[in-house]
Amino acid sequence: MVDWEGPLSEAYDRALTYLKGLPERQVGPRATAEELHRALGGPLPTGPTDPREVVEHLAKGVDDGLLPSGSGRFFGFVFGGATPASLAADWLTTVWDQNAGLYAASPAAAVVEDITAGWLVELFGLPPTTSVGFVTGAQMANFTGLAAARHEVLRRAGWDVERDGLIGAPPIRVLAGAERHDTIDRALRFLGLGTNSIVPIAVDDQGRMRADALAEALDADPGRTTGLSGIDRPTIVCAQAGNVNTGAFDPIADICEIAHAHDAWVHVDGAFGLWAAVSPGLRQLLDGINRADSWATDAHKWLNVPYDSGIVLCAHPEPHRAAMSIRAAYLIQDENGERDSLDYNPEFSRRARGIPVYAAVRALGRDGIAEIVDRCHAMAHRFAERLEANGVKVLNDVVLNQVLVRFGDNDAVTRRVVLEVQNDGTCWMSGTTWQGKAAMRISVTNWTTDEADIDRSAGAVLTAAGSVL
């Protein structure tokens, strides 16, 4: 007989203790790497250990090294938390242990993801035929969307990149804002296009791509390709919905109009900003979003689904499938229209990530998701107002959930305040560099963050600043 109850009950008790303690837990790790190595290391085990003892040992060993990113006072890296329904569904996803690559391997996972895909397309206001892939995060969502883009712009130029590769292919140029997220560059490296393919487009003081600069760049180099007379150079334009520092949105409607006039594919990196589409008060930030060709976002940010959970969406299912799908004689692939997820993401065997997303959307509904987005937006404004009222310089227009602040107009002072706040443990936020200057970056993304969290955290930041200045 297998003892499931022992290790699972131990894990449940430990999990509940952790979750209930989050509101008052120190927001930061409490152990050094050396201490964690001592607690968890030792020689390679030669024999078995009781599973319940393993769980107990692991939970005790890691506890002081955890970064409590599920806390309502965690404001670092644009991390979300985990809602009860999505967390519970994630546990069941692990218990069920389904390989969600094929419909044949898990009809239930395939149908859940198909339903969830439809809900997401509706939530974001995208074309109803949009295809969806569930991936690890925005990095792979950007990779997948750009792979579809690479396929399509080369197909239009008469080149089959999946068959013939990139050697000898018409060169692709990628126009992206100077303040794009680094996952765009990394995805282009993975795709073999390289970062030299990027034409950086000038941005305004909030990091938004300037539509006039994009138009000038496209007009300046129509890029007729050698040997393909009359065909414009294959072009991809990368727009951004939610700058990682300021939260600012590129003018997506203008970008789509300009880019499509040059037969370019428009990909939108909306890692967290795409969720603004669910809010009636904020969706105007995404004007024209339905005119883009592909989109990337995260569920483990504003939907507050456990890691890892990213989403890629594509207005053109055929290029999406052409870039991702695979056929093999031993696979049982559905011929009746049911979902084989390996047609939409770069993984083969994969976790059924759509199940926690399904649970989150079903539990919250459109109104619940909008409430989280709107509340975080309001709390970001509250944080900025509390700091600004006490002489702290706010560097950005708080249009969404990001707040950039600077102390004493001095890089060293600002970095010291960030470190003091992290060491204090009342709240946690990271530092960044914005327009060549050090800044504290405050990201309000957690579904539990309320006014008390903001006021307590703002007080801690002001205390830290007072000790440094």
Side-chain angles (χ1 to χ4, degrees):
M1 296 293 292
V2 176
D3 176 20
W4 295 110
E5 185 174 354
L8 288 175
S9 61
E10 182 71 29
Y12 174 79
D13 291 342
R14 298 278 177 179
L16 210 56
T17 298
Y18 176 78
L19 292 168
K20 287 182 175 180
L22 273 178
E24 294 305 320
R25 185 184 176 104
Q26 174 180 316
V27 188
R30 301 175 295 202
T32 65
E34 183 180 355
E35 290 168 337
L36 291 169
H37 276 288
R38 282 202 304 268
L40 295 161
L44 172 69
T46 56
T49 303
D50 178 75
R52 184 166 194 159
E53 291 180 16
V54 171
V55 173
E56 179 185 18
H57 174 78
L58 174 64
K60 286 182 177 178
V62 304
D63 190 60
D64 284 344
L66 296 174
L67 184 62
S69 54
S71 168
R73 297 189 310 281
F74 185 86
F75 305 107
F77 304 125
V78 204
F79 285 2
T83 60
S86 66
L87 177 58
D90 196 60
W91 283 10
L92 286 174
T93 300
T94 300
V95 170
W96 293 330
D97 195 24
Q98 300 290 282
N99 185 334
L102 295 170
Y103 175 83
S106 181
V111 170
V112 166
E113 292 193 351
D114 195 35
I115 292 167
T116 308
W119 288 350
L120 292 169
V121 169
E122 185 177 349
L123 280 169
F124 296 139
L126 304 181
T129 55
T130 296
S131 54
V132 179
F134 294 89
V135 294
T136 54
Q139 174 67 79
M140 293 314 295
N142 281 322
F143 168 85
T144 305
L146 290 170
R150 182 186 66 173
H151 166 89
E152 181 60 15
V153 298
L154 286 176
R155 184 198 66 78
R156 294 172 190 171
W159 189 271
D160 186 336
V161 67
E162 279 72 39
R163 183 190 64 199
D164 299 326
L166 287 170
I167 298 175
I172 296 174
R173 59 174 173 167
V174 181
L175 289 80
E179 286 290 339
R180 65 193 176 275
H181 194 273
D182 290 335
T183 53
I184 295 296
D185 299 52
R186 195 169 184 229
L188 294 173
R189 286 164 43 206
F190 292 168
L191 288 164
L193 300 181
T195 54
N196 277 346
S197 67
I198 299 173
V199 179
I201 305 301
V203 298
D204 66 13
D205 63 346
Q206 296 295 307
R208 291 178 290 249
M209 184 194 294
R210 285 175 37 202
D212 62 327
L214 173 66
E216 289 173 9
L218 286 168
D219 289 338
D221 178 16
R224 300 293 180 184
T225 57
T226 304
L228 292 169
S229 178
I231 302 297
D232 283 348
R233 180 175 176 180
T235 302
I236 301 167
V237 174
C238 293
Q240 186 169 227
N243 179 280
V244 73
N245 281 308
T246 67
F249 287 68
D250 288 348
I252 295 170
D254 292 342
I255 288 170
C256 288
E257 182 176 357
I258 294 165
H260 288 158
H262 289 79
D263 202 28
W265 177 291
V266 178
H267 174 74
V268 178
D269 175 12
F272 59 95
L274 195 59
W275 292 96
V278 187
S279 165
L282 295 171
R283 67 168 58 116
Q284 77 278 358
L285 294 168
L286 288 158
D287 182 42
I289 191 67
N290 60 324
R291 297 169 59 189
D293 298 291
S294 57
W295 308 264
T297 193
D298 278 319
H300 57 227
K301 286 187 170 65
W302 243 342
L303 191 59
N304 281 253
V305 166
Y307 278 91
D308 49 26
S309 187
I311 301 160
V312 60
L313 307 102
C314 188
H316 313 286
E318 284 306 314
H320 190 175
R321 285 192 293 265
M324 292 292 115
S325 65
I326 186 172
R327 292 292 181 266
Y330 73 95
L331 296 177
I332 303 173
Q333 290 174 286
D334 189 77
E335 303 296 337
N336 299 311
E338 298 299 341
R339 180 186 181 86
D340 285 328
S341 76
L342 55 70
D343 287 338
Y344 303 100
N345 57 265
E347 297 163 314
F348 211 117
S349 297
R350 58 177 287 272
R351 179 178 176 82
R353 292 189 192 89
I355 292 175
V357 180
Y358 171 94
V361 175
R362 191 166 190 88
L364 291 166
R366 181 192 295 273
D367 292 345
I369 299 169
E371 192 279 330
I372 292 174
V373 172
D374 287 338
R375 176 157 42 84
C376 288
H377 173 59
M379 293 303 100
H381 270 284
R382 187 182 183 94
F383 214 138
E385 289 164 0
R386 292 293 185 274
L387 296 181
E388 197 164 35
N390 286 274
V392 177
K393 184 173 180 59
V394 177
L395 301 177
N396 67 313
D397 299 331
V398 183
V399 297
L400 198 60
N401 66 321
Q402 300 292 98
V403 184
L404 279 182
V405 295
R406 182 169 167 83
F407 302 89
D409 199 22
N410 182 283
D411 286 355
V413 169
T414 298
R415 294 189 182 106
R416 179 68 183 277
V417 174
V418 171
L419 186 60
E420 289 292 324
V421 170
Q422 291 174 349
N423 290 337
D424 170 70
T426 299
C427 57
W428 201 99
M429 55 275 289
S430 58
T432 189
T433 300
W434 172 246
Q435 296 180 344
K437 295 182 178 180
M440 173 186 283
R441 187 177 69 140
I442 301 167
S443 303
V444 188
T445 322
N446 190 283
W447 70 284
T448 66
T449 300
D450 59 18
E451 293 181 353
D453 289 319
I454 296 300
D455 294 345
R456 184 174 169 185
S457 299
V461 172
L462 292 170
T463 298
S467 70
V468 173
L469 290 169

